[in-house]
Amino acid sequence: MEEKGKFLHGTLEVTIFRATMHKASVPFKCISARRRSTYVTIKIDNKKVAKTTHEHDRIWNQTFQILCAHSVEAKITLTLKRRRSVLGKIDIQARELLGESSLINGFFPVMNQKGEAMKKLKLQFMVWFKPAEFEPSWEKTLEIDGGYNGLKNASFPMRSNCGVTLYQDAHHHASFQPPFDLCGSPRRLWEDVYNAIDGAKHLIYIAGWSFNPKMALVRDSQTDIPHARGVKLGELLKRKAEEGVGVRVLVWDDETSLPLIKNQGVMKTHDEDALSYFKHTKVVCKLCPRLHDKFPTAFAHHQKIIIVDSREDPSSRNREIISFLGGLDLCDGRYDTEEHSLFKTLNKESHCYDFYQTSLQGASLHKGGPREPWHDTHSRVTCEAARDILVNFEQRWTKQCDPSSLVPIASIQELSHQPNPTNTWNVQVFRSIDHVSACPLPKNLGGVERSIHEAYVDAIRRADRFIYIENQYFIGGCHMWEENKHCGCRNLIPIEIALKVARKIKAKQRFTAYIVIPMWPEGTPESETVHDILHWTRETMKMMYTIIGEAIQESGENVHARDYLNFFCLANREIEVKGEFVPPYNPHPSTNYLNAQKHRRFMVYVHSKLMIVDDTYLLIGSANVNQRSMDGQRDTEIAMGCYQAKNEENDSKNGGIRAFRMSLWYEHTGRADEVYEEPQSLECVETIRSIGDKMWKIYSQDEVKDMGGVHLVTYPVHVTEKGCLEDLGDGRFPDTKTPIKGRRSKVLSSIFTT
């Protein structure tokens, strides 16, 4: 592997056996019970990546799998510690593991603070390095008898014979008809959610970052369930609770919201509104703070899940657990369709009571559009994986609420426990969570689960042809940035993609990564928070394109960096049409709001948390690509990874994952070209790129021109052939004064914005 000379890229397996004050040749003796407990930390470049338990006898026999995508100059440090003192350490240079032997095994003396070997104090350990290139591709993995067994460092195992439904956006018009043979038939998420809640007989569990009981799930005049149109979510839940269904709602407690002074809180999540709405009803609603020892108000419970019991099929008395998870909260502004309209729906039921715009200061329906369109992805799961999501809810409720108010699953006599052989999906549920938020966690996780991050890295390392990502944020790999290397955003997802592309370039194999993000994160674009996040995003892009550019130069190939990696966003621009809503008031002069209204354009906010690899494996959930979501000790998250078992009726060319991607691309580009069937091909890259470049020109020009239902635009940055990033135009987002490359905040700590 040619990048071996530059990167320690793979998995470190570190086993800590024991430590002793005696020579290795002397049999180990029990240490007095009075001896203080001792433990070992493992660091890479002074950043802790693992820690043993505290043991009095200095015997651990603990093994850690540590993901690495670091410079060959990195240093691995094993430190022997007591609670308040350092006994000694052992340093290992990364390059030592990249030679002929990738194994270090034995009893080694630790070094004191002066760098001197302490011959009587030794640590027995084994370090083995497995390069990432040795991971088999998804295709080869699934050809092996037994298939993919999933991750070990997760609370929940891989489940087979599950049912999975994938959703794009909260709703679709009947007119949205992508070619069925390529894209399948899109489902209406919020109508399915309504039906699931309405059909529950025993339990309805909801956990969310935000929850608004006053909003309606069903708003389409052409709906198949007209009796549900306009029904408030809260009223539906109260009715079900009156019927005897156990309705439990777990909402993140934004502790900056103060009902006594009518302060909505920094994030305006309706937490206090929800609590008040269900007061003196049979719905049990709990506000749950994200407890953190250092930053008690900084982080959130970010999971978005709904769990209900449902009839297996109309002809059966048996019931099953079904769960929804993904990026959509049941709150303001999330209802949208494939049209992502800015102005046309402001006098219609869909948005006249749900005008949402957080990026334009002072925006309101009475001053007119643009509203903030919302693109998201979600999923529905059945069978054992759905029960794992139920267990996650129960663990969270048990930790921070009264467990006696949960519905005992054993009391649901009609609940079927038989696997459904007609279901072809294999699903594993992942989390970012710690022991402060859920109980109990498996002992091998050490009190913190980071399985979402590990799942992303594992999926990328197995990628062979392409990666497609939609995410609200894309920040990571700070240890490889030019600046701000110690900001703490050390998740490996961006650097893993860059290294995958680099290896494919050097092997002269086609590979492409498509990444769709918002133009800027939600909030007024002039704010310190937005500028800071844009800065981290640009640093991430620079790091990735630098790695790819160097690979191109070393290969000697006459190719462009954008042949392999492209960033996009979504946007809309509408010409005025007859019968449009006419606002009684106008935005204040010389504001972003007035500019956006006059130019009739705005971004479509990408809120998805989705990755598709080779049309074979899919990750979807609540987790963003940033440290907050991947850390495990910051925001709490949930996701699932899934693939379909191959058989004669279902192969990678007509499976549900490929159909879902094609449907998404049809929504974004207005087309379902045959070239989309081979996303890794240069022809497909050039087609998608040309659409993005063309639509950015239409979006950013002075002349108002309708984008005609095509929303994909190239992210506004110029990438040179060799991967250098340059400002595009004046370097600002249209209708704003905000620099696209952002600016490092002098006020905010990086822990809040990474």
Side-chain angles (χ1 to χ4, degrees), residues 138-143 424-426 465 614-616 643-654:
W138 281 110
E139 184 175 359
K140 291 180 179 177
T141 299
L142 300 185
E143 285 174 353
T424 62
W425 290 87
N426 297 271
R465 299 184 294 119
D614 293 346
D615 279 346
T616 301
Y643 69 93
Q644 282 180 284
K646 286 189 177 182
N647 54 46
E648 291 182 2
E649 296 179 1
N650 168 50
D651 60 31
S652 61
K653 290 188 178 294
N654 63 6

Side-chain angles (χ1 to χ4, degrees), residues 119-281:
K119 295 182 180 180
K120 291 185 177 181
L121 180 58
K122 294 186 177 182
L123 181 66
Q124 184 184 9
F125 65 88
M126 180 176 69
V127 176
W128 176 59
F129 175 66
K130 179 184 178 182
E133 64 176 316
F134 293 164
E135 295 291 349
S137 68
W138 281 110
E139 184 175 359
K140 291 180 179 177
T141 299
L142 300 185
E143 285 174 353
I144 300 170
D145 188 33
Y148 178 59
N149 295 319
L151 300 183
K152 294 179 181 178
N153 294 326
S155 293
F156 307 107
M158 180 69 74
R159 307 294 193 179
S160 59
N161 298 120
C162 295
V164 172
T165 305
L166 300 168
Y167 301 92
Q168 58 196 95
D169 306 314
H171 187 69
H172 285 300
H173 292 305
S175 58
F176 182 65
Q177 294 290 339
F180 179 79
D181 59 327
L182 294 176
C183 308
S185 180
R187 296 290 295 265
R188 295 174 168 182
L189 170 62
W190 277 9
E191 290 191 4
D192 283 359
V193 168
Y194 183 96
N195 284 327
I197 293 173
D198 194 33
K201 183 179 176 182
H202 297 278
L203 64 86
I204 299 167
Y205 292 167
I206 298 173
W209 174 83
S210 177
F211 180 82
N212 184 359
K214 298 178 182 179
M215 52 154 256
L217 291 172
V218 181
R219 311 179 191 182
D220 193 337
S221 60
Q222 299 180 3
T223 179
D224 295 331
I225 45 174
H227 63 276
R229 185 178 170 195
V231 175
K232 291 181 180 178
L233 174 60
E235 295 306 305
L236 173 63
L237 293 175
K238 286 195 287 186
R239 174 168 64 82
K240 296 305 294 185
E242 287 292 334
E243 292 174 6
V245 180
V247 182
R248 309 291 179 259
V249 181
L250 193 62
V251 183
W252 169 54
D253 184 4
D254 179 359
E255 295 181 284
T256 64
S257 59
L258 304 170
L260 290 177
I261 59 173
K262 296 184 178 180
N263 177 44
Q264 292 183 317
V266 173
M267 306 307 295
K268 298 181 174 62
T269 59
H270 297 285
D271 55 336
E272 297 292 345
D273 293 340
L275 185 67
S276 176
Y277 189 93
F278 292 119
K279 198 172 183 180
H280 306 305
T281 75

Side-chain angles (χ1 to χ4, degrees), residues 720-745:
T720 69
E721 282 187 24
K722 304 309 178 188
C724 295
L725 300 192
E726 299 173 352
D727 285 336
L728 196 65
D730 66 356
R732 301 178 187 276
F733 291 109
D735 302 325
T736 78
K737 298 177 182 177
T738 301
I740 297 166
K741 63 183 177 183
R743 182 181 62 248
R744 178 68 185 102
S745 173

Side-chain angles (χ1 to χ4, degrees), residues 72-84:
V72 73
E73 304 301 327
K75 182 171 66 176
I76 302 153
T77 303
L78 311 181
T79 307
L80 189 64
K81 292 183 173 184
R82 291 187 186 133
R83 192 172 297 276
R84 292 184 177 84

